[in-house]
């Protein structure tokens, strides 16, 4: 996994929408010499708490110094900001394996780690500049530490020393505090719901006293409160409101984006946990049929999937990455299904797994052979050779898994499917990313726009896309009304996405648009970025 991520990390630049935002925050923190607040476009940024920004800034500062600025522009480099997600992913997988060997079964650790590492969403978030991999690793590890303490407390695991369970409970609370600092109150909310459901099922609320719950809550407050208080004091009341209420309570109850019906996560799991999701129904049925839910560890694994799924399904705003925290526990359940599967079960499950791998193999083959019509084929033409290679890899993997299934070799099914998926990610990440990057990177835009904005004030029409400015030496304040545009200095410049600029909203009209001239237009990231200036009076009179 580490080798795969290291191969993929440098293969692309910052991709919209989230990566340029995080890069710009790190750039502004470095320019300000500030470690307390992240800033975006000159304003304190309330999107998430501080931990991930600390990690990214530390990585940028350290890698900038160690490499002599390799790949750095304006104090940021995509590979250096991507590195924390990769390191966190690899570290979690290593700890996950050791934990499984200690508290479950040694033969389960390798297959479970392979399943998790090759889960599509896990791999994507492991090489993406977003908070979710750090948050998931911290929160999932906190839950595993708490379960370890409980198993030791109740004699379901052999202790390695006196009062060892206390140390595991302490670790759980420390990691939970860090998860809180990474993504806010969602961490303790999910944790409380999970522990309440688990202890209710166990009928064992007396364990809370020996788990040091109240001491743990005090420790969490001690670790989390200082930054929240200091940030609220520095950022002011509006920043504190946005950080605590707007980004959490209002996002859950009155969302403004990613609004989907309650069942949407069922759809997300089909793709994000593919192809292992095909074995999930059998894994869940086995828990009941073989009475494995009498084991507290299996109860906890099942609830660590169901509780976040139910809670997040009730929240208005839904994205697949929000559910990333459940996949370590699903990986354990699926690996347990195949670990010692008898030949008949291995043949049945292996057939499902081979069928799942055959789907992308068939889709890639069809694209490579010209399916989808002329419009789609025009888009995929530059990628035809990689598509052929990827189709061949997936087809070979499908036949291997099918052959192992026919022979009833359950232990080889996971390894074969994981190797196939890893090869797909390696080729797609190093070859495909390299071909896609010129279309999505903001480097071309930056190179074109720099001579036109040097020494000038620059504004943005409507919401800023940080890629507009991350590689420039400019801050670009947002203008959100025609009246604000009217007050703009004629020597200033305006940046806008074409779709926003041509929309008759916010006081904009065709006549008002006619008072501006397009200086530059650069297709970038599936959009078109415009640089505009005000026309002089004589130009306006001559314009049609």
């Amino acid at each position: 996994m580490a080798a795969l991520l290291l191969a993929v990390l440098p293969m692309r630049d910052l991709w919209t929408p989230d990566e340029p935002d995080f890069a710009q925050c790190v750039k502004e923190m470095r320019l300000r010499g500030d470690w307390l607040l992240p800033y975006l476009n000159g304003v304190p940024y309330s999107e998430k708490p501080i931990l991930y920004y600390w990690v990214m800034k530390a990585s940028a500062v350290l890698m900038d110094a160690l490499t002599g600025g390799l790949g750095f522009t304006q104090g940021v480099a995509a590979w250096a900001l991507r590195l924390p997600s990769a390191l966190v992913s690899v570290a979690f997988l290593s700890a996950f394996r050791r934990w499984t060997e200690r508290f479950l079964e040694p033969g389960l650790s390798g297959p479970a780690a392979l399943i998790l590492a090759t889960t599509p969403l896990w791999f994507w978030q492991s090489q993406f500049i977003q908070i979710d991999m750090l948050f998931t690793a911290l929160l999932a590890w906190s839950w595993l530490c708490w379960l370890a303490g409980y198993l030791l407390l109740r004699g379901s695991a052999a202790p390695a020393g006196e009062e060892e369970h206390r140390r595991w409970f302490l670790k759980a609370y420390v990691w939970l505090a860090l998860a809180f600092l990474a993504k806010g109150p969602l961490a303790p909310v999910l944790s409380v719901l999970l522990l309440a459901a688990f202890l209710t099922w166990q009928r064992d609320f007396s364990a809370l006293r020996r788990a040091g719950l109240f001491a743990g809550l005090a420790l969490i407050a001690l670790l989390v409160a200082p930054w929240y208080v200091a940030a609220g004091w520095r950022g002011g009341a509006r920043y504190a409101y946005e950080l605590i209420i707007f980004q959490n309570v209002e996002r859950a109850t009155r969302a403004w984006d990613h609004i989907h019906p309650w069942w949407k996560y069922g759809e997300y799991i089909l793709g994000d946990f593919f192809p292992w999701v095909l074995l999930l129904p059998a894994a869940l049925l086995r828990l009941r049929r073989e009475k494995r839910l009498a084991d507290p560890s299996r109860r906890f694994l099942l609830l660590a999937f169901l509780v976040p799924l139910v809670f997040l399904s009730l929240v208005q705003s839904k994205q697949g990455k929000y559910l990333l925290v459940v996949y370590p526990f699903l990986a354990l359940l699926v690996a347990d299904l195949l670990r010692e599967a008898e030949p008949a079960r291995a043949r049945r499950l292996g057939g499902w797994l081979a069928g799942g791998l055959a789907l992308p193999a068939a889709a890639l083959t069809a694209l490579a052979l010209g399916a989808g019509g002329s419009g789609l084929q025009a888009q995929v033409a530059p990628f035809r050779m990689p598509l052929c290679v990827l189709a061949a890899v997936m087809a070979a993997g499908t036949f291997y898994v099918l052959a192992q299934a026919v022979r009833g070799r359950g232990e080889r099914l996971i390894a074969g499917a994981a190797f196939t998926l890893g090869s797909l990610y390696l080729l797609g990440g190093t070859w495909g990313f390299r071909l896609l990057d010129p279309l999505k990177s903001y480097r071309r835009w930056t190179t074109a726009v720099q001579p036109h904005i040097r020494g000038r004030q620059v504004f943005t029409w409507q919401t800023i896309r940080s890629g507009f400015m991350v590689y420039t030496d400019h801050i670009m304040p947002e203008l959100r009304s025609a009246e604000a545009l009217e007050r703009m200095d004629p020597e200033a410049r305006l940046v806008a996405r074409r779709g926003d600029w041509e929309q008759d909203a916010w006081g904009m009209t065709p006549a008002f648009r006619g008072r501006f001239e397009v200086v530059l237009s650069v297709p970038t990231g599936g959009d078109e970025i415009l640089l505009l200036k005000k026309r002089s009076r004589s130009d306006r009179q001559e314009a049609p």
Side-chain angles (χ1 to χ4, degrees):
M1 182 66 175
L4 173 61
L5 290 173
L6 287 175
V8 170
L9 283 184
M11 291 300 158
R12 61 184 179 86
D13 198 8
L14 303 168
W15 281 11
T16 191
D18 294 322
E19 290 194 316
D21 283 349
F22 287 117
Q24 181 66 21
C25 287
V26 172
K27 169 186 167 182
E28 294 189 35
M29 288 177 75
R30 292 194 69 180
L31 288 172
R32 292 170 175 269
D34 198 324
W35 287 89
L36 182 59
L37 292 179
Y39 286 81
L40 182 65
N41 208 9
V43 178
Y45 191 51
S46 62
E47 180 73 16
K48 292 296 182 293
I50 195 62
L51 184 62
Y52 189 55
Y53 301 99
W54 281 343
V55 171
M56 286 190 298
K57 182 179 176 182
S59 177
V61 171
L62 181 61
M63 293 300 106
D64 195 358
L66 290 178
T67 65
L70 178 65
F72 278 78
T73 303
Q74 293 288 322
V76 295
W79 70 268
L81 299 183
R82 207 167 278 136
L83 189 61
S85 292
L87 293 178
V88 165
S89 173
V90 172
F92 179 84
L93 287 168
S94 177
F96 179 68
R97 287 194 61 170
R98 294 197 304 272
W99 186 95
T100 304
E101 289 174 0
R102 170 79 191 280
F103 293 103
L104 297 180
E105 294 87 16
L108 186 61
S109 61
L114 282 176
I115 289 172
L116 183 57
T118 54
T119 292
L121 185 63
W122 187 275
F123 170 75
W124 178 254
Q125 292 297 146
S126 296
Q127 52 82 54
F128 201 68
I129 305 172
Q130 270 184 346
I131 289 169
D132 298 274
M133 177 51 66
L134 176 65
F135 173 73
T136 289
L138 293 171
L139 186 57
W141 184 242
S142 170
W143 293 352
L144 290 172
C145 288
W146 199 94
L147 177 58
Y150 182 85
L151 295 175
L152 290 166
L153 177 65
R154 292 307 183 213
S156 298
E162 188 176 349
E163 298 290 303
E164 186 191 6
H165 67 279
R166 294 183 183 276
R167 295 194 293 275
W168 282 100
F169 285 132
L170 177 62
K171 292 177 187 177
Y173 301 133
V174 171
W175 293 111
L176 178 57
L178 293 176
F180 198 141
L181 280 174
K183 205 172 181 178
L186 180 63
V189 168
L190 288 179
S191 299
V192 167
L193 293 174
L194 172 59
L195 296 187
F198 174 70
L199 294 175
T200 299
W201 197 351
Q202 288 289 104
R203 299 180 182 177
D204 190 13
F205 279 97
S206 63
L208 288 177
R209 180 177 57 83
R210 298 187 63 186
L213 178 63
F214 294 108
L217 293 175
L219 177 62
I220 292 170
L222 183 65
L223 294 174
V224 170
W227 178 79
Y228 270 88
V229 171
W233 183 267
R234 168 84 74 81
R238 180 177 178 82
Y239 174 79
Y241 171 82
E242 290 180 352
L243 176 69
I244 299 170
I245 304 300
F246 183 73
Q247 294 292 346
N248 295 284
V249 179
E250 293 192 17
R251 192 160 203 154
T253 59
R254 297 197 299 272
W256 57 89
D257 60 358
H258 307 296
I259 300 173
H260 298 289
W262 65 268
W263 46 260
K264 184 65 176 181
Y265 280 113
E267 182 180 308
Y268 280 135
I269 292 174
L270 290 177
D272 293 342
F273 196 54
F274 184 86
W276 313 111
V277 67
L278 300 174
L279 307 183
L280 186 56
L284 298 178
L285 285 172
R286 180 175 179 244
L287 290 174
R288 185 170 181 271
R289 288 176 178 174
E290 300 184 11
K291 299 181 178 180
R292 297 176 71 81
L293 288 176
D295 179 357
S297 64
R298 265 60 183 188
R299 290 182 176 183
F300 192 95
L301 297 181
L302 178 61
L303 289 172
F305 162 53
L306 293 178
V307 169
L309 174 64
V310 171
F311 177 81
L312 293 171
S313 294
L314 297 175
V315 173
Q316 285 188 331
S317 183
K318 298 176 180 66
Q319 294 189 71
K321 62 185 181 178
Y322 296 166
L323 207 60
L324 185 64
V325 71
V326 310
Y327 292 130
F329 305 96
L330 290 186
L332 287 167
L333 293 174
V334 172
D336 196 29
L337 174 70
L338 288 172
R339 182 172 55 93
E340 295 178 351
E342 63 275 9
R345 177 187 287 170
R347 281 191 287 272
R348 184 171 63 254
L349 298 176
W352 279 101
L353 199 56
L357 293 175
L359 292 176
L364 290 167
T365 301
L367 275 177
L369 294 179
S374 58
L376 179 60
Q377 284 301 308
Q379 294 180 28
V380 303
F383 311 100
R384 196 171 305 281
M385 181 58 69
L387 286 173
C388 291
V389 175
L390 292 175
V393 168
M394 291 301 296
T398 299
F399 284 119
Y400 176 84
V401 171
L402 185 60
Q404 301 309 311
V406 170
R407 296 174 185 176
R409 296 178 176 178
E411 72 281 359
R412 295 192 179 182
L413 294 175
I414 292 176
F419 181 80
T420 301
L421 293 168
S423 301
L424 178 72
Y425 301 154
L426 179 62
L427 289 169
T430 56
W431 197 350
F433 284 174
R434 180 67 74 182
L435 291 173
L436 276 171
D437 195 55
L439 303 176
K440 297 181 73 68
S441 171
Y442 286 90
R443 299 276 183 178
R444 179 185 172 195
W445 154 259
T446 304
T447 301
V449 79
Q450 284 282 45
H452 299 278
I453 63 174
R454 189 172 293 117
R456 299 179 185 271
Q457 188 173 20
V458 184
F459 297 93
T460 302
W461 175 239
Q462 297 304 310
T463 303
I464 185 70
R465 289 295 183 267
S466 296
F468 297 173
M469 61 181 173
V470 68
Y471 294 131
T472 74
D473 57 357
H474 279 70
I475 296 295
M476 301 181 182
E478 298 171 2
L479 303 181
R480 293 176 173 267
S481 67
E483 291 78 8
L485 289 179
E486 184 70 43
R487 294 191 297 269
M488 196 178 90
D489 188 284
E491 293 302 313
R493 296 293 180 262
L494 181 69
V495 177
R497 292 180 298 169
R498 182 174 288 279
D500 288 343
W501 182 246
E502 294 182 348
Q503 186 174 350
D504 290 340
W506 312 292
M508 179 63 69
T509 64
F512 197 91
R513 266 193 300 275
R515 299 172 64 179
F516 286 80
E517 173 187 350
V518 176
V519 177
L520 189 68
S521 173
V522 182
T524 305
D527 207 338
E528 189 174 359
I529 309 175
L530 308 178
L531 180 69
L532 303 111
K533 70 174 182 178
K534 280 187 172 180
R535 295 180 185 271
S536 66
R537 292 187 180 274
S538 58
D539 289 339
R540 285 186 225 165
Q541 293 171 356
E542 294 174 5

